[in-house]
C-alpha cells in the first residue's frame, strides 16, 4: 500500500469503524426522538425549528470549520505569522454586527419561510423562486464538489496511495453517498446530529494537535521565529504587507457578514433556531 505501515492501516480502519458505529447510534437515537413528531417539511428542512442556541452554534461550527478552512488558515499563519489571527477576529466582528442588527437574518426568520427559494417566491414570484433554486443548487454542487475532491485527495495522501483518478472519484462517490443517505433518513435533524458529533471531534482533534505541536516546537520558539522572519508585520496586520486596513475590512465583510448573513448553510441554521 505505497509503504504505509500495517499498524497505521489497522488504526485507520478501527477509527473508521468506530466513526460509522457512532454515526449509526446517533442517527438511531435521533430517529427515535422523532417518534410521534409530525414528519412534515418543517421537520425535514429546519429540524422543526426548535434548536437551542448552543446546538445551533455547534452545528454551524462543524459546517464552517473543515479541511479547507483549517488548511487555508494554517498556510496564512505559516506565511504571515501571528498577524493572521486577525482573520478570526474579523469574522467575530462581522458575525457580531449581524447578530446585533439582525441584518438579513431577522426579516428572513420573520417571513416564516423554511428555505431561501421559498423566500424568493414570496418576495419576487414563482419564476424567481425556481431560477434562484436552480442557481443555488448549481453553485452548491460546484462548491461542495471541490470540498469533496479535496477530502478525497487528503484521504488518498493519508493512506500513502497514488492519486489515481479512479480511486479519487470512487472516494468522492462514497463520501457523497454517505451524506445523501444520512440526510435523506432524517433531514436537517439528522444533519444537525452529525454536525454536533463532528464539532466535538474537531474541538478534541484540533486541541490535541496544537498541544502536540507545542511539545515539539515551544511557543517561545515560534514567537522568536516570527519576530526574526517577519518583524512587526508578523504580529500587527495593519503593517503587514500582505494585509493592511483594506484587507482587514474585507475580512470583516467576507469572513463575518457574508458568512453569517448570506452564506446559505449559515442562513439555514438560523432558520432552525427556536
Amino acid at each position: 500500500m505505497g509503504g504505509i505501515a500495517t499498524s497505521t492501516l489497522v488504526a485507520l480502519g478501527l477509527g473508521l469503524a468506530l466513526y460509522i458505529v457512532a454515526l449509526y447510534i446517533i442517527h438511531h437515537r435521533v430517529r427515535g426522538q422523532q417518534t410521534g413528531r409530525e414528519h412534515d417539511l418543517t421537520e425535514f428542512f429546519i429540524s422543526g425549528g426548535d434548536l437551542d442556541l448552543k446546538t445551533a452554534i455547534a452545528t454551524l461550527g462543524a459546517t464552517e470549520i473543515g479541511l479547507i478552512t483549517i488548511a487555508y488558515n494554517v498556510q496564512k499563519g505559516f506565511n504571515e505569522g501571528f498577524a493572521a489571527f486577525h482573520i478570526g477576529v474579523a469574522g467575530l466582528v462581522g458575525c457580531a454586527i449581524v447578530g446585533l442588527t439582525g441584518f438579513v437574518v431577522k426579516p428572513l426568520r420573520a417571513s416564516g419561510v423554511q428555505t431561501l427559494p421559498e423566500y424568493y417566491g414570496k418576495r419576487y414570484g414563482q419564476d424567481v423562486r425556481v431560477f434562484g433554486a436552480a442557481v443555488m443548487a448549481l453553485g452548491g454542487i460546484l462548491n461542495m464538489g471541490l470540498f469533496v475532491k479535496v477530502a478525497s485527495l487528503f484521504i488518498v495522501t493519508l493512506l500513502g496511495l497514488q492519486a489515481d483518478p479512479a480511486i479519487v472519484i470512487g472516494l468522492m462517490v462514497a463520501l457523497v453517498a454517505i451524506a445523501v443517505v444520512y440526510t435523506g433518513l432524517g433531514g436537517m435533524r439528522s444533519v444537525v446530529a452529525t454536525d454536533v458529533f463532528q464539532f466535538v471531534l474537531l474541538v478534541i482533534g484540533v486541541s490535541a494537535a496544537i498541544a502536540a505541536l507545542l511539545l515539539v516546537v515551544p511557543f517561545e520558539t515560534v514567537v522568536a521565529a516570527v519576530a526574526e522572519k517577519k518583524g512587526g508585520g508578523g504580529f500587527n496586520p495593519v503593517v503587514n504587507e500582505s494585509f493592511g486596513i483594506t484587507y482587514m475590512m474585507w475580512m470583516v465583510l467576507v469572513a463575518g457578514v457574508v458568512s453569517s448573513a448570506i452564506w446559505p448553510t449559515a442562513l439555514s441554521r438560523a432558520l432552525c433556531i427556536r
Side-chain angles (χ1 to χ4, degrees), residues 19-20 23 27 44 144-145 147-148 171-192 194-195 198 269:
Y19 183 78
I20 293 175
L23 278 183
H27 287 283
F44 187 84
M144 294 307 165
F147 280 74
V148 173
L171 278 171
M172 290 174 65
V173 171
L175 292 173
V176 171
I178 293 172
V180 169
V181 168
Y182 76 68
T183 302
L185 288 175
M188 180 56 78
R189 195 173 298 276
S190 183
V191 173
V192 168
T194 303
D195 282 347
Q198 291 180 338
R269 268 56 176 189

Side-chain angles (χ1 to χ4, degrees), residues 190-268:
S190 183
V191 173
V192 168
T194 303
D195 282 347
V196 173
F197 175 58
Q198 291 180 338
F199 181 77
V200 173
L201 292 182
L202 276 169
V203 171
I204 295 174
V206 171
S207 299
I210 292 173
L213 287 171
L214 288 176
L215 289 176
V216 177
V217 184
F219 185 70
E220 296 79 7
T221 304
V222 177
V223 173
V226 171
E228 178 185 351
K229 298 293 184 181
K230 302 295 293 185
F235 302 90
N236 186 350
V238 176
V239 300
N240 188 294
E241 294 179 356
S242 298
F243 298 138
I245 295 295
T246 303
Y247 185 93
M248 294 169 66
M249 297 303 296
W250 172 251
M251 281 294 101
V252 171
L253 176 64
V254 175
V257 176
V258 170
S259 292
S260 56
I262 299 177
W263 185 235
T265 53
L267 277 179
S268 64

Side-chain angles (χ1 to χ4, degrees), residues 3 5-6 32 49 57 60 71 87 188 218 254:
T6 303
I57 291 173
L60 186 58
I87 296 174
M188 180 56 78
V254 175

Side-chain angles (χ1 to χ4, degrees), residues 6 17 62 76 95 105 123 153 206:
T6 303
K76 277 292 183 182
C95 288
V105 176
R123 184 71 183 270
L153 289 171
V206 171

